Amino acid sequence: MNHFTHHISQQPAVRDHRFAGHHILSVSQFDRDALAYVFTVAEEYRQAGREISVQRPLLGYILANLFYEPSTRTSSSFLAAMERLGGSVIPINEVRYSSVSKGESLPDTIRTLEAYADVIVLRHYEKGSAALAAQYARKPVINAGDGAGEHPTQALLDLFTILQERGQIDGLTITMLGDLKYGRTVHSLAQLAALFDVKINYVAPETLRMPGELIPQIRVPQSEHTDLEAVLAETDVLYVTRIQKERFTDEAAYASVKDSYVITPETLSRAKADMVLMHPFPRVGEISIEVDTDPRAAYFRQIEYGMYVRMALLAMVLGQA
Ligand code: ASP
C-alpha cells in the first residue's frame, strides 16, 4: 500500500476497471476507493515521467476534445495527457469554426465525433450538457465543465493536489473563497472533499453564496462567511476562485463584486505557515502576483498535477489502467 492509498482507503491498489467504458459526468460517481485508484494511477504516471511516453499505453486511441467555452488548462492538459500516453487528439477548441456555428445540435455533433474517436471530452456553457451528450454517446464522455454545474476532473485534480501538498485530506479545514454561486469547481470540490473528515468554510459576497440546495448534500461541518478574516487563521487549504463574469447578465452586478477579495503577502502573513493556497485559474486579480514566490502558493504545481490526473482518467475510461 503506497502513500496515496494509505491515507484514503484501506483497500490495496489492485487494478480496478469500474470506469472502463463509462462516462465521467459528476463527482457523485466517486467514493474513497475510486479516488484512491485514480490517485494511485496518477501518481504512477507522475513518477514514470518520460518513460510512459515510451510505453504509449493509449497508442491507437483517439480523443475528441470538444470545447464550446474558452479553456486553456483543461483543454491543453487533456491534449497533453492523451499525447503523453501515446494517443492522439481531434481538437475542437473553436466551435465557431465547426458545424456547431451552422446550428448543429449537440447530439448530432457527439454522434459524429464518436464515429472517429474513442473518448470525448466536453466543455459546454449549459448545465446538464455532459449528461445530455452521454445519453447519445456509445463512447465515454468526460465532463470538462457544464456551465455553472460541475467540473469533476478539476475537483479530482484539486484533491490530488491537496494530498500531494499535505500528505492527507482527513482533518483539514478547507476554505473556499470567491464566486461560490456560479463557480462549478467549488460545487464539485465541496462534494468530493466531503468524502473525507474535513471542515469546509465558504467565504463569498452575499449575492454569490454557495447554492442553498448543495449545502445539505455535503455532509461535513460547513460554515458561511462574507469576511475571510473570520476563518483565515484556522484554514489549512485556501481555495480561491474568480468571479465568473460570463455568468452575469448585468454588468453593474458584476462590477459591484469583482474586486471583493484579493490575496496579498499581507493576507498570507496571517495564515498558517503550512497553508496550501490554490486556485483553478484563470486568476483575474484575486491573488496578487507577489504571492507567487511564497512556498504556500500551490497553483502552478496544481496545474501540473492536473495533467497526471487527466492521464489516469483517460487510461481508466479506455480500459487501459
Ligand atoms: N477554469 C475553471 C473553470 O473552467 C475556473 C474558472 O474558469 O474560473 O471552471
Side-chain angles (χ1 to χ4, degrees):
M1 192 180 292
N2 69 19
H3 165 78
F4 283 80
T5 47
H6 175 72
H7 288 296
I8 299 172
S9 156
Q10 297 314 310
Q11 302 298 314
V14 289
R15 286 293 177 213
D16 173 343
H17 289 297
R18 81 174 82 176
F19 284 96
H22 287 269
H23 308 295
I24 296 178
L25 304 176
S26 165
V27 289
S28 62
Q29 294 170 255
F30 291 83
D31 57 18
R32 281 175 75 136
D33 285 345
L35 281 182
Y37 190 66
V38 175
F39 296 163
T40 300
V41 176
E43 179 61 11
E44 273 175 29
Y45 290 155
R46 191 181 76 82
Q47 288 182 13
R50 295 233 144 264
E51 187 51 38
I52 201 70
S53 305
V54 177
Q55 292 172 12
R56 302 198 283 180
L58 296 189
L59 181 67
Y61 288 98
I62 296 178
L63 159 68
N65 221 17
L66 178 60
F67 281 69
Y68 288 74
E69 269 195 338
S71 168
T72 302
R73 277 147 294 274
T74 307
S75 121
S76 44
S77 69
F78 268 113
L79 190 143
M82 194 65 186
E83 295 202 341
R84 279 176 184 257
L85 293 172
S88 31
V89 182
I90 304 171
I92 309 179
N93 286 326
E94 295 272 9
V95 288
R96 70 196 147 102
Y97 296 128
S98 74
S99 283
V100 170
S101 67
K102 300 180 190 167
E104 184 167 83
S105 69
L106 180 62
D108 281 0
T109 306
I110 293 292
R111 281 186 286 209
T112 301
L113 289 174
E114 72 173 0
Y116 312 137
D118 304 288
V119 52
I120 299 170
V121 168
L122 173 69
R123 167 166 296 181
H124 197 280
Y125 45 82
E126 255 170 49
K127 189 173 172 177
S129 52
L132 174 73
Q135 281 176 24
Y136 292 91
R138 290 171 294 116
K139 307 276 176 70
V141 171
I142 300 179
N143 180 5
D146 61 324
E150 275 214 45
H151 198 343
T153 69
Q154 177 76 44
L156 290 164
L157 80 88
D158 291 338
L159 271 195
F160 185 66
T161 301
I162 296 171
L163 200 52
Q164 290 277 355
E165 298 283 314
R166 294 294 299 248
Q168 63 172 45
I169 298 167
D170 284 319
L172 298 180
T173 295
I174 303 174
T175 297
M176 301 184 181
L177 172 78
D179 186 345
L180 308 185
K181 179 179 179 186
Y182 297 120
R184 56 193 171 200
T185 68
V186 287
H187 300 164
S188 290
L189 180 57
Q191 293 177 73
L192 206 59
L195 293 174
F196 297 83
D197 176 19
V198 296
K199 177 182 177 204
I200 306 179
N201 300 313
Y202 304 117
V203 182
E206 200 54 52
T207 53
L208 298 176
R209 286 167 59 178
M210 191 74 170
E213 70 274 14
L214 275 186
I215 290 180
Q217 297 172 29
I218 297 165
R219 296 176 200 282
V220 294
Q222 300 164 84
S223 67
E224 294 191 82
H225 308 268
T226 51
D227 184 5
L228 176 61
E229 293 306 318
V231 292
L232 179 60
E234 68 172 36
T235 297
D236 297 302
V237 176
L238 179 57
Y239 191 91
V240 182
T241 65
R242 145 186 97 86
I243 309 293
Q244 306 281 299
K245 183 177 183 194
E246 65 275 32
R247 312 274 177 238
F248 284 73
T249 44
D250 176 4
E251 184 72 29
Y254 169 70
S256 71
V257 287
K258 79 178 176 49
D259 298 318
S260 297
Y261 307 101
V262 181
I263 306 299
T264 63
E266 204 270 319
T267 320
L268 288 194
S269 71
R270 282 173 278 105
K272 286 187 180 179
D274 59 353
M275 192 188 78
V276 182
L277 178 62
M278 296 171 62
H279 193 306
F281 270 34
R283 65 173 155 183
V284 286
E286 311 79 38
I287 300 179
S288 76
I289 58 167
E290 291 82 60
V291 170
D292 295 357
T293 50
D294 190 300
R296 290 171 285 188
Y299 29 90
F300 294 115
R301 297 190 290 277
Q302 185 182 353
I303 290 168
E304 184 179 336
Y305 295 139
M307 182 179 66
Y308 302 121
V309 168
R310 288 174 173 138
M311 288 167 78
L313 295 171
L314 289 169
M316 285 167 62
V317 299
L318 291 169
Q320 299 303 312

